[in-house]
Amino acid sequence: MTVEETLPFADWLRLREPADAAARAEDLVDVVRPALAGDTPIRIHDLGSGTGSMSRWLAARLPGPQHWVLHDRDADLLARAAEGMAGVTAADGAPVTVSTRCGDLTRLTGADLADGALVTASALLDMLTVEEVERVVAACVDAGRPTLFAISVTGRVQLTPPDPLDPAVEAAFNDHQRRTVGGRRLLGPDAVAATAAAFARRGVPVRERPSPWRLGPDQADLAAEWFRGWLGAACAQRPELAGPARAYAERRLADAAAGRLTVQVDHRDLLAGG
């Protein structure tokens, strides 16, 4: 089993969107909503927007009118995100408009974000390095606006029924998340703590909430696809797992197909300022 056996990235983002939406901490939106009053239209920067999951979810929970600025380094994903925002309206039915910016979001400055009332991101932080998190946090703080980061992995998963190989696969996957790629050492499950500490050093208060995926029989396709990627990454990190992983994968995927497997994947949401 290899990482390459999983879905193309855009398809993976589409498959996981309902689970992300169900997991995000809505009470943090309640906290930030009053801070947005008075800006018309509300302008929001979405960092690493992917196919627009966070934008679609949050736009419908905020009063409008709104203008979303979507940032990503992948032009194809940006085009999909902008297309996916068509027809989205604010919580009160007001219009929502979109523009896109293609580039390295870790090189944004406070001036780039200063025209926004809010900065958001989802499933982003674990793919950054310490230095990149520091730059993103500095830009958000310099812009002087609240920042909402959702769905960042913590490294903890729970599969039911349990299997003796679960802990070894979890540890190997977490090591893979912290791997060095092109000279960049990724934060993986350490990202939330690093981000909260970066805001704290700049005097910005941070609220954190759990935002776990809870996948049952009605999400068997997502659970199976997540499992393939999880196990594939673990085997890429520790090739010695490949042998026992074959029977393990057969058991787990059979359980998922039969509706016997439940999965909890822990995440954290973070609101800085607001």
Side-chain angles (χ1 to χ4, degrees):
M1 173 161 295
T2 66
V3 179
E4 287 73 26
E5 291 181 18
T6 59
L7 283 175
F9 188 54
D11 294 335
W12 164 245
L13 294 179
R14 186 178 302 109
L15 180 63
R16 65 176 286 172
E17 184 168 347
D20 286 346
R24 293 189 186 102
E26 295 217 29
D27 65 317
L28 294 182
V29 179
D30 296 336
V31 171
V32 78
R33 192 179 290 111
L36 306 181
D39 287 331
T40 304
I42 302 168
R43 192 174 182 90
I44 302 169
H45 289 270
D46 187 8
L47 309 184
S49 58
T51 54
S53 169
M54 183 67 168
S55 305
R56 286 187 291 273
W57 179 82
L58 187 53
R61 286 162 173 78
L62 297 176
Q66 302 169 31
H67 181 76
W68 283 77
V69 183
L70 310 182
H71 299 261
D72 207 285
R73 66 173 65 204
D74 187 317
D76 179 63
L77 289 181
L78 282 173
R80 291 172 185 250
E83 182 180 355
M85 289 290 284
V88 174
T89 58
D92 55 3
V96 174
T97 58
V98 177
S99 60
T100 62
R101 295 183 187 176
C102 190
D104 184 353
L105 63 88
T106 71
R107 296 295 178 180
L108 294 172
T109 67
D112 295 318
L113 305 175
D115 61 350
L118 176 68
V119 180
T120 72
S122 186
L124 169 69
L125 297 177
D126 51 281
M127 296 187 289
L128 303 182
T129 68
V130 169
E131 295 78 10
E132 289 164 349
V133 161
E134 288 288 340
R135 292 199 297 267
V136 169
V137 168
C140 294
V141 173
D142 289 348
R145 298 295 190 167
T147 302
L148 178 62
F149 289 135
I151 312 293
S152 295
V153 295
T154 69
R156 293 184 294 276
V157 302
Q158 181 178 350
L159 290 85
T160 305
D163 187 283
L165 200 58
D166 292 347
V169 175
E170 180 182 289
F173 176 82
N174 289 339
D175 286 345
H176 185 268
Q177 292 293 91
R178 298 182 179 103
R179 70 195 183 281
T180 298
V181 181
R184 299 169 58 248
R185 187 177 188 279
L186 308 183
L187 278 166
D190 304 321
V192 172
T195 304
F199 277 112
R201 282 194 297 274
R202 292 166 172 83
V204 178
V206 172
R207 297 175 176 88
E208 291 186 35
R209 299 289 188 274
S211 52
W213 281 0
R214 293 186 175 93
L215 309 181
D218 56 336
Q219 294 139 316
D221 289 347
L222 176 57
E225 188 64 25
W226 167 85
F227 175 81
R228 292 186 187 98
W230 184 65
L231 181 57
C235 291
Q237 185 68 23
R238 296 187 189 172
E240 66 271 19
L241 286 173
R246 293 188 182 93
Y248 176 69
E250 289 178 2
R251 294 193 300 273
R252 285 308 198 189
L253 292 173
D255 283 342
R260 295 188 297 265
L261 181 68
T262 62
V263 179
Q264 177 167 313
V265 183
D266 286 350
H267 307 98
R268 303 283 290 177
D269 288 7
L270 178 157
L271 173 63

